[in-house]
Amino acid sequence: MSTWFHDHRVFWRQFRQQFHTTGAVLPSGRFLGRALARYVGHGTGARRILEVGPGTGAVTASIVKQLGPKDQLDLVELNDEFVRRLRERLASEGAFQRVAKRTRVLHQKVEDLPPGELYDLIISGLPLNNFTVADVERILEAFARLLRPGGTLSFFEYIAIRPARALVSGPAEKARLRGIGAALEGILKPYEIQRDWIWPNVPPAWVHHCRI
Ligand SMILES: C[S@@+](CC[C@H](N)C(=O)[O-])C[C@H]1O[C@@H](n2cnc3c(N)ncnc32)[C@H](O)[C@@H]1O
């Protein structure tokens, strides 16, 4: 079975079993992956890069291609099945094998990473619009704590997803979506340095890049 087909099957099964945290029906497409990895090829020296919620490794594939020779990569993922798949790819797939010695798979929530860890670049695939406002605030606090001063955070969301969902939602859901919007504005307004529009994705997505 091809890797593509296998990973789509794994992802679909996790979407059905763990909808809330998986948050998408399919792995990200390659345009979204490339946009999320936009800043991996920038910069020099030994950098520490964290990918949050790598799933089956769709975005990781774009990251590993551009990893510098001294860069270190951490993948933080809470889903058992995705962790198993990532370890398998690191052990057996050319581009992943090449960086395996410099890559750690951390099987846990990003919020629980210890305070001492500091990264130059954080790339997040988390489905923030699925979470409670308190969860989103905790996750954004974790990003701020984990980023080195001057570091970059890249994350995505589906274009206009909150207004679209709000149209068909009751008051409690509308309030949740407004709360998430406000939490995200708190980092986008002061820190966003670049926004990519990814039309060839299902659904189309924005990738936000923030320097914090
Ligand atoms: C929308 S999927 C994205 C998967 C992959 N990056 C892609 O683009 O195909 C979200 C991923 O985040 C993981 N996840 C959700 N909450 C998490 C958390 N608090 N810490 C770490 N990973 C989390 C899920 O298990 C899932 O793999």
Side-chain angles (χ1 to χ4, degrees), residues 11 21-24 27-28 51-55 58-59 76-79 82 108-111 125-127 131 139 156:
F11 207 95
T21 52
T22 304
S28 296
E51 185 187 359
V52 184
V59 177
V76 62
E77 171 59 65
L78 56 77
N79 178 300
F82 290 149
Q108 63 181 107
K109 286 184 166 187
V110 65
E111 305 89 295
L126 294 188
F131 298 159
I139 288 166
F156 85 101

Side-chain angles (χ1 to χ4, degrees), residues 1-211:
M1 194 191 305
S2 78
T3 300
W4 185 90
F5 187 72
H6 175 71
D7 286 349
H8 278 62
R9 235 176 51 151
V10 171
F11 207 95
W12 170 245
R13 215 168 37 224
Q14 294 311 305
F15 168 73
R16 289 177 52 193
Q17 288 172 12
Q18 320 227 14
F19 162 77
H20 183 69
T21 52
T22 304
V25 183
L26 297 172
S28 296
R30 68 174 187 284
F31 294 101
L32 181 52
R34 274 187 212 148
L36 278 162
R38 173 192 268 271
Y39 286 96
V40 176
H42 291 215
T44 49
R47 289 167 317 147
R48 293 195 72 209
I49 297 170
L50 175 70
E51 185 187 359
V52 184
T56 52
V59 177
T60 323
S62 291
I63 297 174
V64 299
K65 271 190 208 144
Q66 300 179 63
L67 215 59
K70 293 188 181 150
D71 292 344
Q72 305 274 341
L73 176 63
D74 281 353
L75 308 172
V76 62
E77 171 59 65
L78 56 77
N79 178 300
D80 303 357
E81 188 59 26
F82 290 149
V83 164
R84 197 194 56 70
R85 179 66 188 130
L86 292 164
R87 291 194 170 130
E88 188 176 82
R89 292 187 81 169
L90 284 162
S92 64
E93 210 178 300
F96 282 70
Q97 276 175 326
R98 273 195 291 282
V99 302
K101 286 211 174 90
R102 298 182 276 132
T103 301
R104 295 191 299 175
V105 179
L106 309 171
H107 188 179
Q108 63 181 107
K109 286 184 166 187
V110 65
E111 305 89 295
D112 298 337
L113 282 175
E117 299 285 0
L118 276 184
Y119 296 92
D120 302 285
L121 175 59
I122 297 179
I123 297 170
S124 168
L126 294 188
L128 294 175
N129 286 302
N130 271 18
F131 298 159
T132 63
V133 177
D135 280 344
V136 171
E137 286 172 349
R138 249 192 309 276
I139 288 166
L140 295 180
E141 274 165 27
F143 290 168
R145 167 171 58 78
L146 292 164
L147 260 187
R148 245 186 248 291
T152 305
L153 165 68
S154 299
F155 68 99
F156 85 101
E157 57 175 348
Y158 299 122
I159 291 177
I161 188 70
R162 281 188 302 281
R165 274 203 198 176
L167 280 179
V168 293
S169 304
E173 177 65 354
K174 280 196 173 90
R176 185 185 73 85
L177 293 165
R178 259 198 317 274
I180 293 174
L184 291 180
E185 276 305 296
I187 59 163
L188 291 175
K189 269 223 172 89
Y191 302 119
E192 191 171 35
I193 52 167
Q194 167 90 32
R195 183 179 299 195
D196 297 318
W197 295 65
I198 315 300
W199 294 112
N201 193 68
V202 188
W206 278 317
V207 176
H208 304 288
H209 303 279
C210 300
R211 183 132 317 135

